[in-house]
Amino acid sequence: MKKRLVVLLAGLLTVLSMGFGLAQFSDVPAGHWAKEAVESLAAKGIIVGFPDGTYRGNETLTRYQAALIIYRLLQQIEEELKAKGESPTMEAMSSEDLEALKNAVQELAAELAALGVRVSALEDSAATKEDIARLEALIEELKAQPASEPGMDAAALQDLADRVEAASIAADTALAQAQQLAEQLDALAQDVEGVKGDLSALGTQVEANAQAIQALNELAVLLNQDVLALQDRVTALEKMVSGGAELPDLEQFASKEDVAAVQEFAAALRSDLVGLSEKVSKLESQVAELSKVRYSISGSLTATAGLRYFTQGSTAFDWDRLFPGSVFSTGQTGTASYAASRVGLAEGAGNLFRGDATLTLGVKNNAPAASGVAVAEASATFGVRVYDTSLVSTPTVRLDGVAIKGQVDGQPFSVTYSRVASKFKFNDYLLANDAEGGVAHYRQGVVATFSGTNLPFSPEVTLVGGVAGIPAGSPQDVAPAINGNYFGIRTVVKPLQGASLGLNYALNVGIRSAIGADASLELGPAKLSGLWVSSKTLGLGEPFTAYFDRNRSSWAYYGEAEVNLGSVNLSANYRAVDTEYADGQASMSENEDANYYGGLIATAPYGYDTRGFGVEAKASVGPLGVEAYLDSARGYNDAANSNTNDIAFGLAAKVSLFRGFSLTGYFNRACDNANSPTAFTCTGGTQVNFGGSYDLRNATQRYSSSFGVRLEHQADAEDALIKGLSVVAQYTRFTVNSHNDVQLAAFFAQPLALGPVKAQPGFRFHYFDDGTGGGNLDYSALKAGVRLSTDPLALPFKPSLSADAAYRSTRFGGGARAGEVYGRAGLTLNELFAPGLSFTVAGAIYGAWNVAQGAGGLITVGAGENAFSYDRDRLFASPGGTGAPTASFGSNSGSVEGLYGELKYYDLSVAGGYFRLRQGQANSPFGGTVDTVAKAFRVSYTVKF
């Protein structure tokens, strides 16, 4: 047993030894600038090599190695001083020697500090192998024995101590390398895991190397712990020997052949470590190269089957209002003049059988080239109708969209393609096609942008091109703003700091072309902006100069100025817009297509057929805010003295009170057909109440002749009395005909939690009279509504409930009444027998009496859905207006009723519906005859990948 332990001790010391003193090293090349210094230090025994005869001068120096070198240096200095009979102290050294020693230590300081953390971690290790534990017990026995046998002398003991120190250094080095390799391999494994397909073979190799590295790491930790423990024991033995005792001869426990065998094993072990390190470095390089470009694939496959059909009658009617967002919804698009826009059964009986597939391929370059044209990322989406209501032997694969981003010499560019809704906007009056969804008017085209950040004036270029049209089956717009092939180019330059200039050209082939310019400038608190657009129909032989002749082209231009001085803001404008810009025609802008969208998405700041100016001032001092405006406008082609000037001006003051409340007072005056743009006293004209500009959402009734007061509670005020509650109480007096207008409204902008129930109640009251009592313009409306819902309840199947109800009653002058009622209730079982499986059932009804019917009437279509909007009087607007009090009542009554059910299991949907249109009795929406009955069912499943 003792021999086995001694053999193990000798083997450990040999494995971890730093080598023996050598005069020359095989890896120090001849002529190396440090060769002479290395050999000199080796000859003096200050440095030693490794067992394979190498010096390894490019490897890092550990703290243990540095301590050993300095220790040997100090020993040699001490011996030389003793030989000279001098005191072995620092004072006995010459100043040159001290300076040289100081410089050497300083050179080591930086590297030793960096390695300190890793050495401290090793010093904290406490694990010990079983054999070393038994060896420690033997050493304790040896210490207790008398030292009478001949054995190892002091020199042998010193050699043993040196070997222990060297072994410690070797263990530290092996552990540090193993730890570094393990960290590299961990990071590498994470990168490799993200690279699919091509890296599977590399992942297997990395896993095998990781296990080998971990095993070596654990061995190095254990060996280093054993060496530290043995070093303590040998120190104790050294003290014992220095006291006159002798240790037994270790030759009886291990032969030189045993030691040589263990040394050979140590060399092989270190060679394996070096080999593994090289493999890891190679794998890292391969992964880094593959990670530069990442690919992605995603898509979906949808299959749908279903029918919708009439079982009685054939009148198309709107069921969207009953169950908005259901699988049978067609969405709200267009005004009431297009009955098909919101009619669920506009196409009559039909089937819903169809299948669609989409596929998106993407690529991303994480390290694009710094020069030339470099694509950073790109994607393409494909679609195909895999089956339809009739057989198509070869389905057509379509390209739905492409997106490319990159750089040209570090300057960004992008290219996008859309099959349906290519979006772009040059300016307010040219190619403004970025607001509407593109469903009513397809635009298949490309938009390319480039930002020349490195070029003079930093130009930004936009190119657009494609074709626009109306898809089959879509509600027909008789005059789309852009139709057929189109092209446009826009360039914006920045000649000065805070200044920009845009130049534009647009062409709708065979129909119209336009040029334009727009500019902006910021000078401290002042901002200036303006544009000019000239558009003309295409004609043969017309010169370019026709763009600059307002009699041969249609112009739109404006200039705006604003000065912001903190608490004071001043702004002014001058504008002129030709009649041809109505419905977005001259500007080729679907954003302004009022013919189809009812002007609901208009983005241009000024209307068409107008010429005039406006001034506005705002100021605030503490809780007080004041604003004033002046506006003068006439027809685009009207002369200034043509008695067509419409002038309005007004003043409003707002005081912030407390807890979110504010009080606003206002005064306005409006005049039509004055004889001068500056006839503020309405010379030659007529003072008007509100003309056609009355709007319930006009908070201070601008552009009217009126005065009034408005009390308001802001729902989102920080110190609101009741968070989320909006309150408005307003009185307006229209001075021309003494009309009185009273509006009261209160509603919660966000749901109010009442235990498990979330509620959004609200009400509105609106009263208007003509000031004479009992006149035809007398009008009063009462509207109330509530939306209720719950989160899934902690009950079997996790049910949730929802209910909506709204009511409006209007009394007109002379006693006539009209009204609407709406109700919907639903139950959803959110976890029916299994997670992801849900079932919803709902019923809804809408009824109206004494309302307008005809084409686009309230009952059959209803363009504006305002059931829970408390700035409007009606539940559904027809034909999309604001609900002015002067509107007349109708004579039609009726209702739309329905039941809806849907079973869902993740992306599988099975739905059915029953819908009915009823013609009501006089003054009542219910009880009349059934006009049309419709049924529908639909099964759909989508797989996403």
Side-chain angles (χ1 to χ4, degrees):
M1 175 63 72
K2 289 185 178 180
K3 182 175 182 179
R4 182 171 176 271
L5 292 174
V6 173
V7 169
L8 180 57
L9 172 62
L12 291 173
L13 294 176
T14 304
V15 169
L16 301 176
S17 173
M18 290 299 295
F20 305 94
L22 299 175
Q24 295 182 349
F25 304 103
S26 60
D27 60 343
V28 179
H32 193 279
W33 59 272
K35 180 177 179 63
E36 181 179 356
V38 171
E39 292 181 348
S40 175
L41 292 174
K44 295 180 180 181
I46 295 177
I47 61 174
V48 293
F50 290 85
D52 57 358
T54 60
Y55 176 66
R56 304 182 188 178
N58 292 325
E59 292 187 358
T60 58
L61 186 68
T62 70
R63 189 164 59 181
Y64 286 115
Q65 291 170 331
L68 185 59
I69 291 173
I70 296 174
Y71 172 74
R72 291 172 178 165
L73 177 62
L74 294 176
Q75 277 189 324
Q76 184 171 346
I77 293 173
E78 181 178 352
E79 291 174 0
E80 290 177 358
L81 291 175
K82 286 182 178 179
K84 295 179 181 180
E86 298 176 356
S87 173
T89 61
M90 297 299 288
E91 287 80 358
M93 299 176 64
S94 66
S95 59
E96 293 79 4
D97 294 336
L98 287 172
E99 186 64 22
L101 182 59
K102 179 180 178 181
N103 292 336
V105 172
Q106 288 178 342
E107 291 176 357
L108 295 174
E111 186 172 6
L112 294 179
L115 297 172
V117 175
R118 289 183 289 173
V119 174
S120 297
L122 291 175
E123 290 175 344
D124 292 338
S125 302
T128 306
K129 296 188 301 177
E130 182 180 355
D131 288 340
I132 298 303
R134 289 195 294 269
L135 181 58
E136 292 175 352
L138 176 61
I139 292 175
E140 294 296 331
E141 294 177 8
L142 293 176
K143 289 170 60 178
Q145 293 177 1
S148 58
E149 300 179 12
M152 185 178 292
D153 57 10
L157 184 60
Q158 180 63 42
D159 179 66
L160 180 61
D162 292 343
R163 292 170 65 189
V164 169
E165 293 174 353
S168 175
I169 296 171
D172 178 73
T173 303
L175 179 60
Q177 292 178 347
Q179 288 176 332
Q180 183 177 5
L181 289 174
E183 293 173 358
Q184 293 175 349
L185 195 60
D186 288 342
L188 181 62
Q190 294 177 359
D191 292 338
V192 170
E193 187 175 355
V195 182
K196 301 177 180 177
D198 296 339
L199 295 181
S200 59
L202 293 177
T204 302
Q205 184 177 359
V206 167
E207 182 179 357
N209 289 339
Q211 295 174 355
I213 289 294
Q214 184 172 355
L216 291 172
N217 184 38
E218 294 174 353
L219 176 60
V221 172
L222 293 174
L223 292 177
N224 190 66
Q225 293 171 347
D226 296 340
V227 168
L228 293 175
L230 289 174
Q231 188 175 20
D232 294 338
R233 302 301 184 270
V234 171
T235 300
L237 292 176
E238 183 180 13
K239 292 182 179 179
M240 182 177 67
V241 172
S242 63
E246 295 184 356
L247 291 174
D249 186 7
L250 297 180
E251 289 291 337
Q252 60 179 312
F253 300 105
S255 64
K256 293 183 178 179
E257 289 76 9
D258 294 331
V259 173
V262 178
Q263 275 188 317
E264 183 178 353
F265 172 73
L269 184 63
R270 298 187 66 82
S271 177
D272 290 341
L273 288 172
V274 173
L276 285 174
S277 177
E278 293 175 351
K279 290 181 180 180
V280 170
S281 298
K282 184 177 180 180
L283 288 174
E284 285 181 329
S285 300
Q286 292 175 337
V287 172
E289 186 66 26
L290 290 172
S291 298
K292 288 182 179 179
V293 180
R294 293 185 178 271
Y295 301 92
S296 63
I297 300 177
S298 63
S300 66
L301 177 63
T302 300
T304 301
L307 292 173
R308 58 185 182 186
Y309 54 92
F310 294 125
T311 60
Q312 177 181 333
S314 59
T315 302
F317 61 95
D318 168 33
W319 59 28
D320 278 6
R321 72 185 65 185
L322 298 180
F323 309 106
S326 73
V327 298
F328 300 119
S329 294
T330 57
Q332 179 178 345
T333 305
T335 66
S337 58
Y338 293 95
S341 63
R342 293 197 70 236
V343 174
L345 293 172
E347 299 172 9
N351 73 55
L352 304 175
F353 283 79
R354 62 178 51 88
D356 293 283
T358 64
L359 181 66
T360 299
L361 306 177
V363 60
K364 185 173 183 180
N365 186 354
N366 295 316
S371 60
V373 180
V375 175
E377 57 183 288
S379 65
T381 300
F382 300 89
V384 59
R385 177 63 56 85
V386 296
Y387 69 89
D388 211 328
T389 56
S390 60
L391 177 64
V392 178
S393 58
T394 305
T396 301
V397 177
R398 63 182 187 270
L399 180 62
D400 289 336
V402 176
I404 301 172
K405 293 182 180 180
Q407 297 179 343
V408 179
D409 292 334
Q411 304 167 110
F413 77 89
S414 68
V415 180
T416 59
Y417 162 79
S418 175
R419 184 182 67 88
V420 174
S422 185
K423 293 188 176 185
F424 47 86
K425 180 179 180 178
F426 281 13
N427 61 39
D428 290 332
Y429 292 95
L430 186 59
L431 288 184
N433 296 286
D434 63 342
E436 51 90 19
V439 175
H441 303 88
Y442 275 20
R443 286 188 303 278
Q444 298 176 354
V446 175
V447 178
T449 65
F450 169 73
S451 182
T453 55
N454 299 334
L455 300 178
F457 306 128
S458 302
E460 297 178 358
V461 181
T462 301
L463 283 168
V464 301
V467 60
I470 301 173
S474 174
Q476 295 297 303
D477 185 352
V478 295
I482 182 172
N483 197 18
N485 290 110
Y486 63 86
F487 169 79
I489 181 171
R490 171 177 171 83
T491 301
V492 179
V493 295
K494 300 175 182 178
L496 301 172
Q497 180 69 27
S500 67
L501 172 64
L503 301 176
N504 311 274
Y505 173 76
L507 171 67
N508 191 183
V509 177
I511 301 176
R512 183 178 291 274
S513 65
I515 63 172
D518 48 84
S520 64
L521 176 64
E522 293 188 17
L523 296 173
K527 297 172 65 175
L528 304 175
S529 62
L531 65 76
W532 172 77
V533 173
S534 177
S535 175
K536 66 182 183 66
T537 55
L538 294 178
L540 294 177
E542 281 203 341
F544 183 77
T545 55
Y547 286 115
F548 303 96
D549 184 349
R550 57 173 294 188
N551 294 317
R552 302 169 68 181
S553 60
S554 301
W555 288 9
Y557 56 94
Y558 68 74
E560 297 177 334
E562 180 180 2
V563 178
N564 193 337
L565 302 176
S567 59
V568 177
N569 181 278
L570 304 174
S571 61
N573 70 80
Y574 181 85
R575 73 273 185 177
V577 182
D578 196 292
T579 57
E580 292 293 320
Y581 286 84
D583 198 31
Q585 296 296 305
S587 62
M588 295 171 273
S589 301
E590 290 294 349
N591 288 8
E592 311 304 315
D593 193 347
N595 186 42
Y596 186 83
Y597 293 98
L600 299 178
I601 61 170
T603 60
Y606 311 106
Y608 65 94
D609 191 21
T610 183
R611 181 185 300 275
F613 63 90
V615 179
E616 185 168 355
K618 298 180 181 179
S620 61
V621 179
L624 176 64
V626 179
E627 59 182 45
Y629 74 96
L630 168 65
D631 195 268
S632 177
R634 64 181 184 275
Y636 177 78
N637 293 311
D638 294 341
N641 59 355
S642 61
N643 287 81
T644 59
N645 297 282
D646 298 336
I647 302 172
F649 59 89
L651 175 69
K654 180 177 180 179
V655 179
S656 297
L657 301 175
F658 58 92
R659 303 299 300 273
F661 284 95
S662 63
L663 184 65
T664 303
Y666 50 91
F667 169 82
N668 303 283
R669 187 169 183 180
C671 175
D672 285 353
N673 301 320
N675 61 12
S676 168
T678 57
F680 304 129
T681 59
C682 205
T683 304
T686 303
Q687 188 174 339
V688 296
N689 287 312
F690 42 77
S693 64
Y694 181 89
D695 192 329
L696 298 175
R697 297 166 297 176
N698 188 346
T700 58
Q701 292 301 329
R702 283 190 173 192
Y703 313 108
S704 67
S705 296
S706 62
F707 64 85
V709 61
R710 179 184 179 96
L711 178 66
E712 188 171 5
H713 177 264
Q714 289 290 112
D716 56 354
E718 293 184 2
D719 60 342
L721 181 63
I722 301 177
K723 280 287 187 180
L725 176 64
S726 292
V727 178
V728 174
Q730 181 169 348
Y731 169 77
T732 302
R733 174 80 169 185
F734 294 100
T735 57
V736 175
N737 297 108
S738 302
H739 296 320
N740 298 299
D741 187 88
V742 178
Q743 298 185 54
L744 302 174
F747 59 93
F748 279 90
Q750 299 296 330
L752 177 66
L754 300 174
V757 179
K758 297 178 180 178
Q760 277 188 276
F763 88 95
R764 172 179 176 80
F765 174 75
H766 185 197
Y767 171 80
F768 184 94
D769 71 59
D770 64 0
T772 63
N776 292 332
L777 294 182
D778 285 358
Y779 169 99
S780 64
L782 177 64
K783 178 180 180 180
V786 63
R787 312 195 78 171
L788 304 173
S789 64
T790 69
D791 290 329
L793 303 175
L795 296 173
F797 307 128
K798 295 185 178 179
S800 59
L801 304 171
S802 64
D804 297 334
Y807 172 83
R808 185 266 297 187
S809 175
T810 302
R811 182 186 64 82
F812 295 92
R817 292 181 178 273
E820 300 169 273
V821 63
Y822 177 77
R824 179 175 60 235
L827 167 67
T828 298
L829 303 179
N830 294 280
E831 193 169 301
L832 186 64
F833 305 118
L837 180 62
S838 65
F839 176 70
T840 298
V841 61
I845 184 170
Y846 168 79
W849 61 97
N850 296 337
V851 297
Q853 179 72 350
L858 279 173
I859 300 173
T860 56
V861 179
E865 186 173 338
N866 308 301
F868 302 99
S869 299
Y870 299 99
D871 58 353
R872 302 289 189 95
D873 288 350
R874 301 172 181 173
L875 303 189
F876 288 86
S878 175
T882 59
T886 56
S888 61
F889 61 94
S891 59
N892 295 283
S893 302
S895 64
V896 178
E897 309 154 0
L899 294 173
Y900 175 78
E902 182 179 9
L903 180 70
K904 292 190 67 176
Y905 186 60
Y906 293 105
D907 292 320
L908 170 65
S909 170
V910 180
Y914 173 88
F915 311 96
R916 184 169 64 186
L917 172 65
R918 182 188 297 272
Q919 299 294 341
Q921 297 177 338
N923 300 316
S924 173
F926 310 116
T929 59
V930 175
D931 181 278
T932 301
V933 176
K935 297 180 181 179
F937 78 89
R938 179 179 181 272
V939 180
S940 178
Y941 184 66
T942 299
V943 178
K944 299 178 181 179
F945 57 89

